[in-house]
Amino acid sequence: MSNLVVVGAQWGDEGKGKIVDLFSEGFDIVARYQGGHNAGHTVRVGNKRFILRLIPSGILRPGVKAVIGNGLVVDPAALIAEIEALEAAGIDVASQLAISNRAHVIFPFHRLVEKISEDRKDRVAIGTTSRGIGPCYEDKIARRGIRMAEFVDPGGFSRRYADLAEDKKILANAFRVGEPLDFARIEEEYARLAERIRPMVCDTALLLNRAIGQGKRVLFEGAQGSMLDVDHGTYPFVTSSSATAGGVCTGTGVPPSRIGAVVGVTKAYTTRVGAGPFPTEARDERGESLRRIGNEFGAVTGRPRRCGWFDAPLLRYTAMLNGFASLALTKLDVLDQMETIPVCVGYRLHGRPIEAMPATAEELDAIEPLYEMLPGWVMPTAGITSYEKLPARARDYLEFLEQQAGVEIGCISTGPERSQTIIRSGSRLEKLIHSVSV
């Protein structure tokens, strides 16, 4: 089975955009299955830099179909801004993009609801991007949301919008919001946006399953990372959707039997954005060095990322959840100047070693990471495209991570460009890519 899933193995920002873009050359369709425009993928092609928020990275490959699945929540204004930026760069979005008629729609009042929630007195802030993602998913689960099918139907949209807007007006009044939204103006504006989106809206579950039945190859793209999954992540400091590979089936309508393998993406160290537990966070000068050298700032928000060391117990956990066939490791070159590199190999909680990932934020905050110190290579790796040409100690580092995580590292990124990548000869990943391309 040649259909692959690419999913973040940490807290997001692992470099999935580059990996999906790299792999998409051998696929007919790239489909995203969850999240919203709070998550960004940065892809560099030559001297061009693209930041994709909703549209799958495959859009950058001519002839590759890009699918926004039913598991996403879509802000039409953000989507159209992204479409226009891509069209200005010469990409034929209209012929390549398909949007699920079952994806839910984000409106400006969803952002208001999120701000109310985050700013509420005595509430521990989650650290969201305040783009309305969570409240839109709340409406979806509460069965009062508006989907693309209703959004692009003028008569249906007006009726459904009136009901949803009334609900939000009551909420805004209850919280005494100082600047009330103009709900009538929003309806008019979003009705115009619907006209522009309508030609791309279709039943993407049917599109994908028909394509697979015809022998076409699909690459499924996740947003965020496994540790932000609403069920399996560091709850409540998580996203509002299923970011693990299991979300592919519910988020696209493609059954598990159609999926061949899952590839996890991890950094050579660890980062996360926003609040929440982070056992290996480096709150010192070395953490600042990782942020500076790695340019660890959010692609969408610009927020500085918290930085820390590679967390093998975390990788073992996300490998179990997703069933990784292989790992793609990014930003190896960020560690080039470090004489020693800590790697977390185990956890201790209340003085005792533990194997299971704690379920509560309080326990996760109390974890004591157990480190092994590895020698650095203090040599440049940027741009190297052959595993054998990496410094010996860099190879030792990678092989130690493999042993600790229990998964091969089949791909190593040594820079942001497509070409700055190593596919390890004889790896399972190389065989998976070869099986797609033949």
Side-chain angles (χ1 to χ4, degrees):
M1 185 72 66
S2 55
N3 303 314
L4 297 181
V5 181
V6 174
V7 62
Q10 298 166 312
W11 278 286
D13 306 308
E14 301 96 346
K16 296 180 294 297
K18 172 186 172 173
I19 301 303
V20 170
D21 172 65
L22 180 71
F23 291 176
S24 63
E25 184 178 20
F27 289 83
D28 302 292
I29 300 172
V30 179
R32 184 168 154 193
Y33 59 90
Q34 50 78 222
H37 67 300
N38 57 333
H41 290 166
T42 302
V43 180
R44 288 181 173 85
V45 182
N47 61 356
K48 293 183 178 179
R49 180 173 178 262
F50 299 90
I51 297 178
L52 301 167
R53 296 167 174 82
L54 285 163
I55 300 175
S57 304
I59 198 79
L60 302 178
R61 297 277 187 181
V64 174
K65 195 79 174 176
V67 171
I68 292 176
N70 59 274
L72 275 79
V73 290
V74 179
D75 184 327
L79 176 60
I80 287 173
E82 193 170 330
I83 289 171
E84 289 176 344
L86 289 169
E87 288 176 337
I91 294 166
D92 186 8
V93 179
S95 69
Q96 289 181 250
L97 181 62
I99 305 163
S100 172
N101 55 10
R102 291 171 169 83
H104 279 249
V105 180
I106 297 175
F107 294 95
F109 46 69
H110 285 122
R111 296 193 291 273
L112 173 67
V113 171
E114 189 161 28
K115 189 174 188 305
I116 290 170
S117 177
E118 282 287 277
D119 293 347
R120 202 169 68 222
K121 187 178 179 181
D122 298 327
R123 173 185 164 88
V124 177
I126 302 300
T128 73
T129 57
S130 296
R131 281 168 165 77
I133 309 299
C136 187
Y137 275 116
E138 288 178 23
D139 282 344
K140 173 181 177 176
I141 298 304
R143 296 164 293 181
R144 58 175 174 253
I146 296 175
R147 302 182 300 172
M148 278 290 169
E150 293 94 22
F151 180 60
V152 299
D153 172 19
F157 173 52
S158 183
R159 290 191 302 273
R160 297 294 293 272
Y161 179 85
D163 291 341
L164 190 59
E166 187 62 32
D167 179 77
K168 304 310 174 192
K169 287 177 188 175
I170 293 169
L171 190 65
N173 290 334
F175 281 91
R176 299 177 183 176
V177 175
E179 297 181 10
L181 293 172
D182 187 338
F183 287 91
R185 184 189 59 77
I186 292 169
E187 181 179 4
E188 291 176 5
E189 177 189 349
Y190 273 64
R192 288 193 296 270
L193 297 177
E195 290 294 323
R196 298 186 61 184
I197 290 171
R198 183 180 293 112
M200 292 174 277
V201 175
C202 65
D203 186 338
T204 55
L206 180 62
L207 182 156
L208 289 167
N209 281 288
R210 276 185 175 170
I212 292 169
Q214 294 165 0
K216 292 184 178 179
R217 299 151 298 187
V218 181
L219 181 62
F220 297 97
E221 169 188 289
Q224 287 103 10
S226 297
M227 294 302 291
L228 292 177
D229 184 275
V230 68
D231 289 297
H232 302 290
T234 49
Y235 191 89
F237 301 94
V238 292
T239 194
S240 300
S241 57
S242 298
T244 49
V248 170
C249 300
T250 54
T252 64
V254 173
S257 57
R258 298 287 200 172
I259 297 168
V262 182
V263 176
V265 185
T266 176
K267 284 179 181 166
Y269 47 99
T270 309
T271 63
R272 83 169 294 174
V273 171
F278 185 176
T280 65
E281 184 172 8
R283 297 183 178 88
D284 56 12
E285 188 178 315
R286 300 188 82 191
E288 289 294 331
S289 178
L290 287 172
R291 182 181 298 112
R292 183 180 67 255
I293 298 170
N295 191 30
E296 295 294 355
F297 299 89
V300 172
T301 64
R303 289 189 296 178
R305 296 174 185 142
R306 299 157 63 191
C307 298
W309 307 112
F310 190 90
D311 189 332
L314 181 149
L315 258 291
R316 291 194 288 268
Y317 175 65
T318 60
M320 176 189 74
L321 295 175
N322 292 286
F324 296 141
S326 187
L327 290 171
L329 182 137
T330 63
K331 294 201 169 183
L332 180 68
D333 52 301
V334 174
L335 303 179
D336 282 353
Q337 300 307 312
M338 295 197 172
E339 294 184 359
T340 59
I341 306 169
V343 174
C344 175
V345 296
Y347 290 160
R348 192 156 42 212
L349 181 62
H350 306 314
R352 296 181 179 179
I354 59 169
E355 292 186 7
M357 183 65 66
T360 68
E362 290 77 14
E363 286 184 316
L364 284 160
D365 270 331
I367 280 175
E368 177 191 350
L370 306 175
Y371 289 106
E372 285 197 28
M373 302 298 293
L374 274 68
W377 42 95
V378 199
M379 294 174 64
T381 62
I384 292 176
T385 57
S386 167
Y387 187 74
E388 290 69 27
K389 291 183 179 178
L390 288 173
R393 285 183 173 175
R395 296 197 303 270
D396 290 343
Y397 180 75
L398 293 169
E399 289 161 19
F400 182 80
L401 300 190
E402 282 184 319
Q403 293 165 7
Q404 288 293 319
V407 185
E408 70 159 35
I409 297 174
C411 173
I412 300 118
S413 172
T414 57
E417 299 289 339
R418 283 175 179 168
S419 60
Q420 294 175 311
T421 310
I422 299 167
I423 303 294
R424 287 178 69 181
S425 178
S427 66
R428 187 176 180 189
L429 181 59
E430 183 189 48
K431 294 181 176 70
L432 287 169
I433 293 171
H434 179 70
S435 72
V436 168
S437 61
V438 295

